[in-house]
Amino acid sequence: MSARIAPRRVSFDWSRTPLHWIPGEPTATHVINVLHLLLPAGERWFVQVFKQGLPLVEDPELLAQVKGFMGQEATHSVQHTHVLDHLGAQRLETAEFTRHVDFLFERLLGERPPLGAPIPEREWLRFRLAVVAAIEQFTAVLGDWFLAADGLDRAHADEVMLDLLRWHGAEEVEHRSVAFDMYQHCGGTGTPRYARRVAGMAVTAPVMLYLWVWGTAYLMRHDPQLTGSRLRYSYAEHNRAVHKGLLPAWR
């Protein structure tokens, strides 16, 4: 029997968290801040997709895990939305970017296939479950990294932000296999199920990389504390933060 997965009640006070919450490290700060741009809409979407898949779940234990996963993801979405509000209060507006994220999840990956594509309802649901499972592969790895990222402690990163990231990271590790198990259970059998998994990852990996680079560049370009500065997001600055232990290695 797997451990019970359940959402936890959390609350964070952002009143003392600076815009550059890793002192002197705007690049590393904003690379991680992209999480706040993507997760509110993304995790709402996870919950919607899993809700549509619940009638397909015949295993009571998996059903309990999926419901716990949904509760955790809904809580994550709310807490990351509060961070967006905090960024806005510090004159870093994010709505221009998050509109594109909303369009991705609500329209392109919404309940109906985009552009009226003739994809059967069950097949479209299975594909979206595959995409959720692919994304959760990445979030589980990131969650594990945050739990062990002592470079952030050495850099005196803001304690409240670290609390948020490590709480979220711990829950990602806790439910790391649930999205995969859900897909395997609901995704049919044989070669089509495996092909859909490959397609889900083939879509997810490049889109996530693109959104992360675009999101970091957006945040740095709109950062009011960098106005007039020549500092922009770059591969070299990113790698410098990796070598300091402030970001996960590319591998």
Side-chain angles (χ1 to χ4, degrees):
M1 179 71 70
S2 301
R4 179 173 175 265
I5 297 172
R8 296 166 176 82
R9 294 182 180 274
V10 294
S11 179
F12 302 96
D13 178 5
W14 299 108
S15 61
R16 297 184 180 179
T17 298
L19 184 58
H20 297 163
W21 54 268
I22 307 176
E25 297 287 347
T27 296
T29 293
H30 288 318
V31 169
I32 297 176
N33 277 346
V34 173
L35 284 168
H36 311 308
L37 299 179
L38 303 180
L39 291 179
E43 299 197 290
R44 287 195 304 270
W45 179 76
F46 291 176
V47 173
Q48 292 166 1
V49 173
F50 271 36
K51 185 176 181 179
Q52 292 166 21
L54 285 179
L56 304 179
V57 180
E58 299 174 352
D59 181 338
E61 182 176 341
L62 177 61
L63 183 63
Q65 290 182 331
V66 167
K67 289 181 177 179
F69 172 96
M70 292 168 65
Q72 288 186 344
E73 297 290 38
T75 304
H76 298 166
S77 177
V78 170
Q79 294 303 326
H80 286 280
T81 298
H82 291 328
V83 181
L84 290 184
D85 294 338
H86 172 65
L87 295 179
Q90 294 184 311
R91 298 187 299 115
L92 177 50
E93 293 298 332
T94 59
E96 181 182 344
F97 186 91
T98 55
R99 276 198 296 271
H100 297 287
V101 179
D102 292 341
F103 179 81
L104 168 66
F105 288 111
E106 295 173 7
R107 296 294 187 88
L108 297 183
L109 291 170
E111 188 171 350
R112 294 182 177 82
L115 304 175
I119 303 173
E121 181 179 347
R122 177 69 62 88
E123 183 62 22
W124 180 239
L125 174 60
R126 285 172 168 171
F127 173 72
R128 291 186 298 147
L129 287 171
V131 171
V132 175
I135 295 173
E136 283 291 308
Q137 293 290 322
F138 290 103
T139 57
V141 171
L142 284 174
D144 186 67
W145 182 82
F146 280 124
L147 293 175
D150 55 0
L152 294 174
D153 298 287
R154 291 195 301 271
H156 304 291
D158 178 72
E159 292 182 357
V160 177
M161 187 64 79
L162 283 184
D163 282 347
L164 169 74
L165 295 172
R166 286 173 175 162
W167 154 74
H168 188 162
E171 293 198 341
E172 290 297 330
V173 171
E174 183 179 39
H175 68 226
R176 64 190 178 277
S177 66
V178 174
F180 176 78
D181 293 342
M182 176 71 165
Y183 173 72
Q184 289 292 93
H185 184 83
C186 303
T189 59
T191 301
R193 181 174 69 178
Y194 181 74
R196 213 179 291 109
R197 278 176 52 194
V198 173
M201 183 58 79
V203 169
T204 296
V207 169
M208 283 190 66
L209 177 61
Y210 174 76
L211 288 174
W212 223 292
V213 171
W214 181 24
T216 305
Y218 173 92
L219 289 170
M220 295 190 71
R221 190 167 63 251
H222 290 80
D223 184 332
Q225 295 185 18
L226 297 180
T227 300
S229 168
R230 293 185 177 182
L231 182 63
R232 293 292 183 267
Y233 178 64
S234 69
Y235 184 73
E237 284 295 315
H238 186 115
N239 281 345
R240 187 180 65 81
V242 170
H243 292 320
K244 290 183 174 183
L246 304 176
L247 296 173
W250 290 102
R251 69 178 180 273

